[in-house]
Amino acid sequence: EIARWITTYGREGRWISDQSQILPLLKQGGKHRFHYKPGNKYVTRMTFRFSNSGKGERPVTMIPLFGGGGFNPSYNAKYEPMDIEIPASTKRAEVFAYITGHGWGAEKANCAEFCNHTHHFTVGGTEYVHDQPWVGNNYGCAAQVPVGTVPNQYGTWTLGRAGWCPGMDVKPFVANVTESLTPGMPVTISYKGLFKGADYEPEPSGSGQGFGANITMSSWLVLYE
């Protein structure tokens, strides 16, 4: 998954998204086929811009880590720790993930669109946590207009959501984990998704509305040389 954008509520949008970490997917050059899956019938134009900013290192490898799924008591049971060999030539390493929560109304906690679930990646014994502190704020997404949310949309666009806002590119979770591994040595990486510090236990709301909690996630370990 190169990038993820959220449909605007009755408006057009324009975004510039830094997706530098996905360069390893394109490193062989030549022609590439892309799959674009829009949520609505919008006319869309996409361009890729490449540059060398002289940073002295570049991402060369993307190692798939963990996915998402139904957010329930068995959500974490399917994730086993991963042992990954780190090349001796590695200069930097990042956990890179797109994480969005979906599902509302059917459960008392209003997960996973309107509850602050947290995502815990442990690399070599060090934990890196992603959360969404703006969830539950009636203007949580409106406050993110300066970083990409399209303003003045229709409907409930202002409400703070878990990992996404209507009319915004999904901002990846990026954690620099270089200090938690040793080049030339294997490292163990594990993951769990929690709600209020524990496995999520859905409680039906009885509202007869909405749908159950789900986490949509793509995550990788990105290695730089």
Side-chain angles (χ1 to χ4, degrees):
E1 183 178 24
I2 288 177
R4 192 183 305 172
W5 296 273
I6 304 298
T7 303
T8 57
Y9 289 179
R11 292 283 189 251
E12 65 180 24
R14 178 180 296 149
W15 305 272
I16 298 177
S17 306
D18 182 0
Q19 312 301 131
S20 299
Q21 286 87 350
I22 62 89
L23 282 172
L25 300 179
L26 309 175
K27 65 181 179 181
Q28 70 269 32
K31 292 183 178 180
H32 292 264
R33 183 186 298 272
F34 295 92
H35 175 68
Y36 171 61
K37 186 179 180 181
N40 297 82
K41 294 182 179 180
Y42 281 74
V43 176
T44 303
R45 180 169 60 195
M46 186 182 304
T47 61
F48 290 79
R49 304 177 184 181
F50 299 89
S51 68
N52 182 351
S53 57
K55 294 180 179 179
E57 58 188 26
R58 60 189 176 92
V60 296
T61 304
M62 292 184 75
I63 301 170
L65 295 176
F66 309 96
F71 196 43
N72 51 48
S74 62
Y75 176 80
N76 291 312
K78 60 182 177 292
Y79 297 123
E80 295 291 335
M82 301 176 63
D83 294 320
I84 298 174
E85 294 288 338
I86 305 300
S89 55
T90 299
K91 292 183 179 179
R92 182 158 60 100
E94 293 176 340
V95 168
F96 177 79
Y98 296 115
I99 307 171
T100 56
H102 307 274
W104 63 275
E107 299 160 6
K108 289 183 179 180
N110 220 4
C111 285
E113 181 176 343
F114 295 107
C115 71
N116 185 13
H117 37 87
T118 57
H119 300 269
H120 305 250
F121 295 85
T122 300
V123 181
T126 302
E127 186 178 67
Y128 299 84
V129 181
H130 170 61
D131 68 354
Q132 299 92 185
W134 53 84
V135 175
N137 185 322
N138 286 340
Y139 296 95
C141 280
Q144 296 182 68
V145 167
V147 294
T149 298
V150 173
N152 302 321
Q153 299 177 56
Y154 288 91
T156 61
W157 73 275
T158 64
L159 303 180
R161 291 167 166 85
W164 62 277
C165 288
M168 187 171 78
D169 53 337
V170 171
K171 307 300 183 183
F173 168 63
V174 181
N176 187 335
V177 300
T178 309
E179 299 299 320
S180 299
L181 50 79
T182 301
M185 300 289 291
V187 67
T188 300
I189 300 179
S190 60
Y191 161 79
K192 57 186 176 182
L194 305 176
F195 177 62
K196 295 183 177 180
D199 289 348
Y200 178 53
E201 299 277 352
E203 295 183 56
S205 66
S207 68
Q209 297 180 329
F211 57 97
N214 186 277
I215 304 294
T216 301
M217 179 171 72
S218 300
S219 65
W220 302 266
L221 179 66
V222 182
L223 304 179
Y224 292 72
E225 292 183 0

